[in-house]
Amino acid sequence: MSLTKTLPMAAPRKNKSTKPKGTKTLSFQDLILRLERFWADRGCVILQPYDIEMGAATFHPATALRALGLKPWRAAYVQPSRRPKDGRYGENPNRLQHYYQFQVILKPSPPDIQELYLESLYAIGIDPKNHDIRFVEDDWESPTLGAWGLGWEVWCDGMEVSQFTYFQQVGGFDCDPVAGELTYGLERLAMYVQGVDNVFDLDFNGAPGKDKVTYGDVFLQGEQEYSRYNFEAADTDKLLTHFRDAEDECKALLAKGENGDRHLMVLPAYDQAIKASHIFNLLDARGVISVTERQAYILRVRDLAKACCAAWLKTEAGGNAHG
Amino acid sequence: MAELLLELFSEEIPARMQARAREDLVRLLGDKLRDAGLEPKSIKTFATPRRLTAVVEGLPARSLNVREERKGPRVDAPEPAIQGFLKSAGLKSVSQAEKREDKKGDFYVAIIEKKGRPTSEVIAKAVPEIVRGFPWPKSMRWGSGKLRWVRPLHSILCLLDGKVVPFEIDGIKSGKETRGHRFLAPASLKVKNFKDYAQKLRKSFVILDGEERASRILKDARALAAKHKLTLVEDEALLAENAGLTEWPIVLIGSFDEDFLGVPPEVLTTSMKAHQKCFSLRRKDGKLANRFVVVANLKARDGGKAIAAGNERVIRARLADAKFFFDQDRKVPLEQLVPKLKDIIFHEKLGSQYDRVQRIWKLARELAPLVKADPDLAERAAILAKADLVSGMVGEFPELQGVMGRYYALEQNETPSVANAIAQHYKPLGPSDDVPREKVAIAVALADKLDTLTGFWAINEKPTGSKDPYALRRAALGIIRIVLENGVRLPLRRFANQDLIAFFADRLKVHLRDQGARHDLVDAVFALGGDDLLMIVRRVEALGKFLDTEDGEHLLTGTKRAINILRIEEKKDGRSYDQAPDPNLLQRPEEKALAKAVDEVEKAAASAVAKEDFAGAMSAMAKLRAPVDDFFDHVTVNADDPRLRENRLRLLNRIRGTTLTVADFSKIEG
């Protein structure tokens, strides 16, 4: 297979801007800053992205692990999400193999969580009396995390702008109290707010004239290169070895961290589970995992995630007080 | 007479769950009230995305006193039995029970008197029980609470004749307040009664009644379409879903680039419906227009311009995706997709879709002559029938399976009958769906369903009770309908074992019963061991008509009498009487006439059956009525002379044998 694909994406596009009227266009980075400010003002810890590749912000230990246990927890953060299979060599105006999610996790979920979420939309300039904001059923399940919850996709004028989930279980353990998770698809939201049809046209920095930087300026080359890597170049033998290494290390760390009714090394072990999950996604994109094997791999990652969650519940942050 | 108004106000209830929830609420409220001795005049329920409401009319102010007697054990019963009885009846000692006497002696009776209670008390106890046990298909917890509801429950309005019925569920206190539309009228509303409630909601941009919302959407959408000289592509499920997603539905029209009209209309309609819940529109010439109708949940300040524009943008992206799949798919011939079916596991014990295709094309070839189809075309269609399962489009929209295969096949210059068979071989999809009509399609449709059934039968995965995860009942019914509606002669035994044939018999019974036929007649005909569904149904029809005549009715009575006598006597004697009667032992004229008649009728009926003239067979059978009646009127079967008795039993056996030419009369009721 050739390493260069030059097929132009022929999506018909109208140039007429459809951005919401009466709002000053937010740049991509301003959108993030506004959301961070908004949730910081509501008592959230503003975290920085986790430094390991992952498929969704839910994998961040600030969500996946902190959702378990009795301790209250409120956090918000941006997380790059990698979905190797979604790469389109930068040719599709809507699909990316690397994109950003803005994640909010509130435990226990407050009674006014829907109102808080809607206020965050107002804060980025969406007027609820001029737009059609809807909560459309969408049950969430992560087979690799052994997690599920009920909630909605949030639609704004037919566009899915967020996922809204009440976690019921993570790693096979009941979430009690229940955490509410809000996941904003930042590119989509920005495309909506800016009224652009191609993600690469997003105004990234809001600077005027030739100082303006677009999303494409920042990420187009990456989309092209990583698509080649994900689909064509990644060494599958090495990936298979990495998968096994991560799996083995995760189990080894979980064993070494056992200390009576406590656990002393959950977070390093969980890092390995995240790695295994991402390597599996890469192998999947490379097309070397058959349909039957697929399920087996998912179960192997889930076993790691479950074991980490069980260990987490034996830690201080997981709610196990000394004594 | 009092009115109860109950509203359970929550976060957004999935549209698909609202109808069931309304039914469940009617049932549960009704049960609780009646259990307490309160008989309401009517219970009505309503659902919007954010509320589940019931109004009960005609409630008495309090429940009646109820006196119940419960019979207990005999007075000399073992102590544990007596103690158990006292406990279950709520009595402290035997002195509180009455003693009564019957034929067998004395026994205890507990008199349980339930005092009538104020209705509000009954409701205050019933509603929390209903809420805690509500049968949502999926429910959840939230915050730090323990309560489960479909989504977080925020408030409960509960008024009996305008007064709050006080109770508390997991920290939620009942009250008299609700809220209007989430964005247009979010303030709290105090409510007096149902009329006031419905009116205030309407003023607050909430139409309580889902059917009213649906009819408003339909009316407005039709009018909007007409204004643009278009017609609405109506879709009941989509309408109901939109009514379940809105409290204040407003229809808007949007458009998309005409270039997309090059994509098959099914794709456009499915994409707009599945992803965006939008309706398609048709032009005067019947072709799809580049317009759509979207249902918003509010009247926007700008008249809906921004909402329509936003939806247009999403639809454009969706259709661009669909067009991309369509263009990509067309680059690869269907034939080249077939090996990829190896990656799709059909069932772990039955192999991949590829394995199925190999079986189906052989079956389709074998079936082709039976339906007068060209075997080569049937084979070709069967080989390509599943190829679109690995196309990009069907990956995105599974409901387009078959439809896409047909388009791709036509594009690749397959014979039209082959292309049509690809689309139609899944049919009929349900009782109201059409069956395939073209010969090649019939062959492939039968092969597909037969392979499914024989496969699951071979690994012993049959439907049980309400469980039928592989839709095998639907497959069998599909075969039955294809065969009957196309007049196909299908010798099932060539393809199915006896157990599977019995399953077909069962499904056929259900099918014929749905059409008003008697199921016992199906049994009576199936008992003959036939395996040709079409002939079985023809026989059943002829038999049904015959039994409606006086001759038929009498012959049935006579034959059943003969069969009963034989059964009793054969059992008594421990032997059967299946030899031919001895003509020399026939004494009475009625005996002689009957012996002659059975021979003639049997011959005539058999020859009519051989010609598949079942009406003729029944007319022949009618000639047996008079001799049988005469025989029973004048001849004693259990004669003193054992030789005569045996001969007469043999004659009875001939009646049974002759009627067996058309049906097993012993299986017919009446």
Side-chain angles (χ1 to χ4, degrees), chain B residues 334-511:
Chain B
L334 280 178
E335 203 164 351
Q336 285 180 26
L337 293 179
V338 176
K340 290 195 182 160
L341 291 171
K342 288 175 186 165
D343 290 338
I344 303 186
I345 303 298
F346 174 67
H347 183 282
E348 58 171 328
K349 289 181 186 160
L350 297 174
S352 64
Q353 285 286 5
Y354 180 83
D355 299 328
R356 281 198 78 214
V357 166
Q358 302 314 305
R359 297 192 296 264
I360 292 171
W361 73 253
K362 286 176 196 126
L363 255 178
R365 269 203 90 90
E366 197 180 340
L367 287 158
L370 298 173
V371 301
K372 302 184 180 62
D374 179 332
D376 291 339
L377 293 182
E379 175 182 331
R380 180 75 185 155
I383 285 174
L384 300 179
K386 306 287 181 192
D388 67 356
L389 292 180
V390 285
S391 69
M393 188 71 84
V394 176
E396 188 74 4
F397 301 111
E399 62 268 49
L400 290 178
Q401 63 180 12
V403 174
M404 293 324 295
R406 175 174 169 274
Y407 279 109
Y408 300 146
L410 285 174
E411 185 117 351
Q412 293 153 23
N413 293 319
E414 296 289 340
T415 317
S417 64
V418 168
N420 291 344
I422 295 172
Q424 289 172 16
H425 85 280
Y426 292 106
K427 285 170 154 296
L429 290 172
S432 56
D433 192 25
D434 293 336
V435 299
R437 291 290 181 184
E438 294 180 29
K439 294 177 179 111
V440 178
I442 293 171
V444 183
L446 288 175
D448 183 35
K449 292 168 179 63
L450 273 173
D451 175 70
T452 301
L453 287 165
T454 52
F456 283 106
W457 246 254
I459 60 167
N460 205 22
E461 283 273 5
K462 305 171 202 170
T464 50
S466 62
K467 288 208 179 99
D468 184 11
Y470 304 107
L472 302 179
R473 291 192 181 106
R474 189 172 80 186
L477 180 63
I479 291 177
I480 289 169
R481 285 190 51 212
I482 292 171
V483 162
L484 299 185
E485 293 178 35
N486 288 295
V488 175
R489 307 292 302 271
L490 181 69
L492 273 180
R493 198 154 290 124
R494 241 167 85 185
F495 305 96
N497 65 21
Q498 196 49 45
D499 190 49
L500 181 52
I501 291 175
F503 181 68
F504 272 105
D506 249 17
R507 296 335 291 164
L508 182 65
K509 259 193 275 182
V510 173
H511 178 61

Side-chain angles (χ1 to χ4, degrees), chain B residues 231-243:
Chain B
T231 52
L232 184 74
V233 178
E234 295 185 10
D235 183 324
E236 234 173 275
L238 185 59
L239 183 65
E241 189 176 14
N242 271 298

Side-chain angles (χ1 to χ4, degrees), chain B residues 15-34:
Chain B
R16 67 186 171 92
M17 297 179 186
Q18 292 169 15
R20 252 289 295 283
R22 286 180 48 201
E23 288 169 23
D24 287 335
L25 187 56
V26 169
R27 179 173 53 79
L28 294 169
L29 260 178
D31 287 353
K32 291 276 181 202
L33 291 172
R34 277 186 284 271

